[in-house]
Amino acid sequence: MSEFDPDAFEHDYRGTDPDEIQRSINNRLVYTIGKDPYTAVDHDWLNALSYVVRDRLIERWMETHRSYYRSGTKRIYYLSLEFLVGRSLNNALLNIGFRDSCEEALKRLGLDLEEILGMEHDAALGNGGLGRLAACILDSIATLDLPGTGYGIRYEYGMFRQALEENQQVELPESWLKAGNPWEFPRPEVVYKIHFGGRVMEYQDKKGRRHHDWIDAEEVLAMAYDTPIPGYHTETVNNLRLWSARASHDFDLACFNRGNYLKAVEEKAYSENLSKVLYPDDRASANQELRLRQQYFFVSASLQDILRRFLQQYESLRQIPEHITIQLNDTHPSIAIPELMRILLDKYKLEWQQAWKITQKTFNYTNHTLLPEALESWPVELMERLLPRHMQIIFEINRRFLLTVTHLYPNDMELLKRLSIIDEEGARRVRMANLAVIGSRRVNGVSQLHTDLLRQQTFADFHRLDPERIVNITNGITPRRWLNEANHNLSGLLRNVIGHDWVKDLSQLERLRAYANDSEFQQRFMLAKRANKARLADLTMLHLGSTIDPYTLFDVQVKRIHEYKRQLLNVLRVITLYNRICDGIAPDLVPRTILLGGKAAPGYLMAKLIIRLINDVAAVINNDPKSAPQLKMLFIPNYDVSTACDIIPAADLSQQISTAGMEASGTGNMKLALNGALTMGTLDGANIEIREQVGEENFFCFGLTADEIARKRQNGYDPRLHHEQDAELKRALDMIDQGYFSPTNPNRYKAILRSLIDDGDHFMVLADYRAYIQSDERANALYRDKAAWARAAILNTAAMGSFSCDRTVNDYARLVWGAVPIPHRKSRRIGRKSNHRGE
Ligand code: 26V
């Protein structure tokens, strides 16, 4: 490769002043999009600008990869079935410090940057917390100059779009790629073969060693698409590599020759279905074969790619754990463990012990849920049919593991049953969490409480065997997107007062404490909040035709709809407030705007019914002239990353009210507190740590603790007692029961009443109701004292330093990955000589 003279290189891809950017935008519009300024529609300008920004990432991206190669550093691979990235343009603009120039360039073209930014489709390749965490982690890995790559699936349809029809959720397909995706680079030359089905042939070599061949399998191709992930104010640009399924031959010739053209095309379509759609987090569909296929598809492609890169640079497979660490985001990619074993054993003919040592040192597993119904398991029968060799390997991993356990604890059959990868009760199943724990060097929980519960309950037996393995790494969020980008008003104020180092070092927010009692600062802080509320009010008017009043208290619960998250508890509170207003016994109630948002999995009927109830209750309250001045309730449809960025900065109060012990961490709780909302929350997940940081007096804590919930459950909890003994609760429940909110069909909510009263109220909604109402009263009282509230809000923002995902990623790097930053110089050389043969 010859050296490239950077000065001779087309300047159009580099310039950073508004003149140069303006010219680049015009060039991109004409030469890439194929439009002139007269025929261009808004979206063409968005794409033109995105290309201009992308161009300015590319040299850094390439240099990043060259320097990783040169340094021989240990690489981090983050395997996740979900990456909930959201929009990319504004993030890229801010990260490389181009926003102001672009704004100016667009102005000269008669265009408004904010408007253009708002047209970008969200990349919604995730369900919620787990997927968004993956996106935050990638942002921090790049910002910290760590050599990390994300691997996942390029779904054609991401998370569905939610609309409301007659107060009910309807799901619409989200084809985010329709208008083109300027952020991705297709890599048609990076394709791997992926196999399914077939059978295993066993044979002996001349030395009598047994070997296995996986044969007669069907074949699908995985093709790579790369998306650059720029760090904030650094030269590092990492890579997110997503796989798309392709048929292995465009049409099966034999079929075609027999004249069966349609069948051939059908088979092609079938293979390509693999990367068609993201599974919504829905236990009912958790068992589907296509989901396991998706898992193996992306795992197999990623491991082939990882090993190809490794072997380009190193000889001995024994060096793998020294140069590679793989993080499994939940058990979804845990089939990677037997897949690496298969490659080492069958392809490279390593001995079992050698292969196992390598595998076990390479993987780490993050657990994201304790809910037993959410722990993945696959029928042995399905695994045998789809991945016969993997099933053999899993049995062997299990056999050897249980043997070592037997040596340590002889004659403890119950222990063996609990630890076994195979669940033998009924039709046999593969417990993916057990496989992931056994095959990983480190396992982590995502908050302190969650980790404690993993150690004491879910993985207690494993913890006893190896007390070092389970570590805590509390989740975090990126301050870039969740404060700097989402909240201009507050970040502008912060810049004036404490500078802008906090964007990269969130602990700097501590310095705000000094201003918490300063009444001028309090006013400016609350003015920023008011401006955010006014902006949200404009948006709800524009998109929903609903008026909300920015001078009221904004009370927000936004997250997936799930019984354990207890949106129902919130509804019972709202009905109670409504009744008090109607009864004239709430003169002190500060005017409230209650905002809820979140998607229900399409097959989760109870969650869908809860959405309907929220909307039915809102309709009654909002149309009642008695309550209207004091209470308004609004369900904001299609909660996603972009709407989160509009809602969160406008919140005064953050509802984090899950049943204690059930929310692994939560990350919305962190986003809201960072933006100056006070939390009303149970002692669950990261709420506990948030409360420790912000101080008890600045957090409305209520409800049973995880221990108390467990004890109550053991002692026989009876929700009917609460129903009978608490008059306000009874009244709220009876109103739902008797059709007050559904006059056309009084029976509509019977299933909710049944679950809360007759079926044991599994999530202990009624048990926490009174404490919740009392904590609401405390919040109400504090809000009436403007200065006291402002102080508490400031102290919330000030205390959020440790919830930066930079801290999270530093913890992973230190405790789990053993990886170090590789900062690199700015290079103006394109294609500097090296042996590096690209990504
Ligand atoms: C399960 C399934 C089941 C089958 C189909 C698709 C699907 C997709 C996702 C899941 C598991 C979701 C687990 C999850 O999102 N956990 C959340 O992780 C967050 C990040 O650690 C954490 O903050 C939340 O508390 C936790 O609920």
Side-chain angles (χ1 to χ4, degrees):
M1 202 189 298
S2 63
E3 292 240 350
F4 207 104
D5 174 4
D7 295 322
F9 188 62
E10 182 50 75
H11 212 72
D12 199 40
Y13 301 105
R14 292 230 174 101
T16 59
D17 68 50
D19 277 340
E20 292 168 309
I21 289 182
Q22 187 182 345
R23 201 186 50 205
S24 298
I25 294 174
N26 277 322
N27 280 345
R28 279 305 211 160
L29 185 72
V30 174
Y31 297 106
T32 306
I33 315 284
K35 291 273 189 87
D36 63 30
Y38 309 102
T39 52
V41 298
D42 290 349
H43 224 93
D44 296 326
W45 289 109
L46 167 69
N47 282 348
L49 176 61
S50 301
Y51 282 118
V52 168
V53 177
R54 190 185 84 169
D55 289 339
R56 281 147 182 82
L57 296 179
I58 290 179
E59 287 179 39
R60 303 169 196 228
W61 193 23
M62 291 174 174
E63 182 51 30
T64 300
H65 292 297
R66 282 192 289 269
S67 68
Y68 290 162
Y69 183 85
R70 280 195 303 269
S71 70
T73 179
K74 184 171 189 177
R75 311 256 191 167
I76 303 154
Y77 294 110
Y78 198 83
L79 266 57
S80 177
L81 220 44
E82 304 192 9
F83 289 93
L84 224 185
V85 174
R87 290 176 177 149
S88 290
L89 178 55
N90 196 26
N91 185 251
L93 280 175
L94 285 162
N95 280 9
I96 60 177
F98 268 30
R99 199 184 139 113
D100 293 343
S101 304
C102 281
E103 192 160 15
E104 178 57 30
L106 286 172
K107 208 179 331 151
R108 295 179 192 173
L109 289 163
L111 298 162
D112 177 56
L113 176 62
E114 280 290 336
E115 241 170 72
I116 295 209
L117 294 177
M119 289 182 307
E120 188 179 351
H121 271 271
D122 272 29
L125 308 184
N127 272 285
L130 167 147
R132 182 55 229 179
L133 182 75
C136 282
I137 284 180
L138 288 189
D139 178 275
S140 287
I141 289 179
T143 298
L144 294 169
D145 298 316
L146 285 164
T149 298
Y151 278 110
I153 295 181
R154 179 181 177 272
Y155 301 107
E156 213 172 295
Y157 295 90
M159 190 60 198
F160 65 82
R161 201 148 49 82
Q162 177 193 56
L164 292 179
E165 267 175 31
E166 296 181 354
N167 286 348
Q168 296 174 77
Q169 166 174 305
V170 288
E171 299 95 29
L172 303 167
E174 180 62 321
S175 67
W176 66 296
L177 296 167
K178 212 166 41 190
N181 175 9
W183 300 105
E184 66 181 11
F185 292 83
R187 305 291 189 203
E189 77 286 7
V190 184
V191 283
Y192 295 102
K193 294 175 180 168
I194 316 296
H195 295 109
F196 293 103
R199 62 199 170 87
V200 179
M201 198 186 65
E202 210 181 298
Y203 64 94
Q204 287 200 346
D205 64 17
K206 286 179 210 131
K207 293 187 189 135
R209 279 186 59 194
R210 288 198 305 151
H211 298 286
H212 298 84
D213 264 352
W214 180 14
I215 56 170
D216 295 343
E218 55 176 290
E219 190 175 290
V220 183
L221 300 180
M223 174 184 147
Y225 282 77
D226 288 344
T227 299
I229 304 290
Y232 179 81
H233 288 195
T234 161
E235 291 293 302
T236 297
V237 178
N238 282 336
N239 194 19
L240 169 60
R241 179 160 276 186
L242 301 177
W243 302 105
S244 179
R246 293 291 123 97
S248 66
H249 5 254
D250 267 344
F251 41 82
D252 182 326
L253 266 183
C255 259
F256 190 52
N257 289 340
R258 269 183 264 118
N260 205 345
Y261 176 73
L262 281 180
K263 180 157 186 285
V265 176
E266 241 171 50
E267 273 168 22
K268 172 177 159 65
Y270 179 77
S271 311
E272 294 182 358
N273 265 344
L274 253 176
S275 53
K276 204 51 91 187
V277 56
L278 165 77
Y279 269 86
D281 174 3
D282 173 2
R283 310 283 103 108
S285 66
N287 261 327
Q288 282 175 22
E289 177 174 331
L290 183 60
R291 167 104 175 150
L292 181 58
R293 283 182 182 259
Q294 286 187 335
Q295 296 182 349
Y296 179 64
F297 165 77
F298 105 93
V299 158
S300 166
S302 306
L303 280 184
Q304 291 183 61
D305 203 41
I306 291 167
L307 289 178
R308 175 197 49 82
R309 193 173 298 115
F310 172 83
L311 290 170
Q312 211 174 291
Q313 218 169 354
Y314 306 100
E315 307 262 294
S316 165
L317 294 162
R318 259 171 304 174
Q319 289 174 287
I320 287 176
E322 194 185 315
H323 294 289
I324 294 174
T325 180
I326 301 178
Q327 192 67 37
L328 303 173
N329 196 24
D330 215 307
T331 52
H332 312 155
S334 58
I335 194 71
I337 292 164
E339 172 68 356
L340 181 59
M341 284 298 287
R342 186 186 69 83
I343 296 170
L344 297 177
L345 295 168
D346 297 357
K347 181 164 179 199
Y348 295 105
K349 316 283 184 218
L350 263 60
E351 298 287 349
W352 181 280
Q353 264 152 1
Q354 187 75 62
W356 182 244
K357 215 163 122 189
I358 294 169
T359 299
Q360 218 259 343
K361 279 190 188 161
T362 301
F363 288 105
N364 306 290
Y365 152 55
T366 306
N367 174 285
H368 294 272
T369 182
L370 297 164
L371 303 185
E373 70 272 23
L375 289 179
E376 264 194 315
S377 73
W378 294 103
V380 167
E381 168 276 318
L382 172 62
M383 191 81 84
E384 250 158 5
R385 181 158 51 78
L386 224 52
L387 302 167
R389 178 63 181 135
H390 297 77
M391 194 62 248
Q392 288 181 343
I393 291 171
I394 292 170
F395 278 131
E396 183 61 13
I397 293 173
N398 199 39
R399 189 187 68 78
R400 289 172 183 250
F401 170 68
L402 294 180
L403 204 64
T404 61
V405 177
T406 314
H407 288 312
L408 291 168
Y409 301 93
N411 307 322
D412 192 342
M413 273 310 287
E414 285 309 309
L415 178 68
L416 292 184
K417 265 195 207 162
R418 293 195 302 268
L419 287 171
S420 174
I421 300 174
I422 310 298
D423 178 358
E424 309 270 355
E425 304 280 312
R428 291 191 303 169
R429 302 180 72 90
V430 184
R431 294 168 173 152
M432 301 308 271
N434 291 29
L435 173 63
V437 174
I438 294 167
S440 294
R441 202 175 78 88
R442 289 283 179 268
V443 174
N444 77 284
V446 290
S447 73
Q448 191 59 59
L449 174 70
H450 172 65
T451 303
D452 292 344
L453 294 172
L454 284 179
R455 289 181 177 144
Q456 292 158 17
Q457 293 169 20
T458 319
F459 299 141
D461 298 313
F462 290 109
H463 182 53
R464 196 147 55 104
L465 289 176
D466 179 4
E468 306 279 277
R469 193 168 313 193
I470 303 178
V471 297
N472 176 245
I473 300 184
T474 298
N475 283 166
I477 56 172
T478 168
R480 271 73 66 184
R481 185 170 299 252
W482 297 110
L483 184 51
N484 195 39
E485 276 173 68
N487 195 342
H488 292 234
N489 294 311
L490 182 53
S491 33
L493 173 60
L494 296 180
R495 240 187 303 280
N496 284 332
V497 179
I498 59 167
H500 55 253
D501 289 353
W502 58 267
V503 182
K504 247 184 144 144
D505 172 11
L506 203 62
S507 67
Q508 295 287 324
L509 292 181
E510 286 282 338
R511 291 163 54 201
L512 282 181
R513 285 187 199 279
Y515 299 86
N517 292 318
D518 173 336
S519 69
E520 195 205 318
F521 184 76
Q522 289 177 353
Q523 275 177 27
R524 288 164 73 194
F525 193 92
M526 295 316 284
L527 270 177
K529 181 62 78 183
R530 172 92 43 74
N532 295 336
K533 293 202 248 182
R535 179 171 178 274
L536 181 60
D538 290 344
L539 289 170
T540 56
M541 191 63 225
L542 184 68
H543 297 297
L544 309 172
S546 308
T547 43
I548 53 176
D549 178 358
Y551 288 86
T552 60
L553 188 167
F554 278 21
D555 176 322
V556 174
Q557 188 178 21
V558 281
K559 48 182 80 250
R560 287 296 289 260
I561 311 293
H562 213 293
E563 285 163 285
Y564 84 82
K565 296 179 188 277
R566 298 200 296 192
Q567 280 91 358
L568 274 179
L569 182 57
N570 193 351
V571 172
L572 290 172
R573 174 186 66 123
V574 174
I575 296 173
T576 303
L577 295 179
Y578 170 69
N579 288 338
R580 289 182 179 184
I581 296 170
C582 292
D583 292 352
I585 55 166
D588 291 341
L589 190 76
V590 297
R592 301 271 187 117
T593 301
I594 314 263
L595 298 169
L596 284 111
K599 292 175 184 176
Y604 190 173
L605 298 185
M606 183 57 89
K608 289 180 132 177
L609 195 58
I610 292 170
I611 291 180
R612 189 171 196 185
L613 177 63
I614 293 166
N615 284 300
D616 279 355
V617 170
V620 169
I621 290 179
N622 299 345
N623 289 313
D624 188 332
K626 289 195 293 300
S627 56
Q630 270 174 294
L631 196 58
K632 171 127 194 178
M633 184 180 190
L634 188 64
F635 184 87
I636 299 182
N638 200 40
Y639 180 66
D640 59 9
V641 174
S642 292
T643 46
C645 289
D646 297 330
I647 296 169
I648 288 170
D652 292 304
L653 196 53
S654 158
Q655 299 293 334
Q656 306 299 336
I657 59 177
S658 50
T659 315
M662 291 195 163
E663 188 70 272
S665 159
T667 45
N669 47 3
M670 301 169 187
K671 293 162 197 168
L672 282 150
L674 178 63
N675 282 277
L678 276 66
T679 305
M680 181 170 295
T682 47
L683 289 174
D684 198 15
N687 291 355
I688 297 175
E689 289 152 81
I690 293 176
R691 177 164 168 266
E692 271 164 22
Q693 292 299 315
V694 306
E696 284 173 30
E697 64 290 1
N698 303 308
F699 185 112
F700 305 106
C701 172
F702 75 95
L704 299 168
T705 63
D707 283 345
E708 287 165 349
I709 295 268
R711 237 173 293 132
K712 224 181 174 60
R713 199 155 276 152
Q714 268 173 3
N715 298 340
Y717 161 61
D718 186 0
R720 281 170 298 197
L721 297 179
H722 296 283
H723 180 226
E724 283 153 22
Q725 287 165 12
D726 190 319
E728 274 191 308
L729 172 60
K730 181 171 185 337
R731 179 166 167 203
L733 287 166
D734 291 353
M735 284 163 80
I736 300 173
D737 193 25
Q738 287 156 19
Y740 189 89
F741 303 105
S742 54
T744 57
N745 177 7
N747 291 328
R748 183 173 294 154
Y749 296 112
K750 289 287 179 215
I752 289 182
L753 271 296
R754 198 177 320 123
S755 137
L756 291 180
I757 298 171
D758 308 316
D759 292 348
D761 183 19
H762 183 67
F763 302 95
M764 305 223 173
V765 174
L766 305 198
D768 272 344
Y769 166 85
R770 184 46 56 187
Y772 185 41
I773 298 293
Q774 286 164 352
S775 101
D776 190 85
E777 288 159 2
R778 294 202 301 278
N780 194 71
L782 190 68
Y783 198 77
R784 293 171 63 82
D785 182 344
K786 291 264 169 296
W789 185 279
R791 178 178 185 277
I794 294 165
L795 289 174
N796 265 269
T797 300
M800 293 305 289
S802 62
F803 299 98
S804 166
C805 195
D806 298 343
R807 190 272 311 146
T808 307
V809 162
N810 272 321
D811 286 355
Y812 277 103
R814 198 168 29 89
L815 298 172
V816 180
W817 299 334
V820 292
I822 308 292
H824 41 270
R825 288 159 287 126
K826 206 171 193 148
S827 160
R828 287 171 40 84
R829 285 268 183 273
I830 304 285
R832 194 136 42 133
K833 264 196 189 126
S834 84
N835 295 327
H836 176 239
R837 287 187 286 134
E839 256 310 278

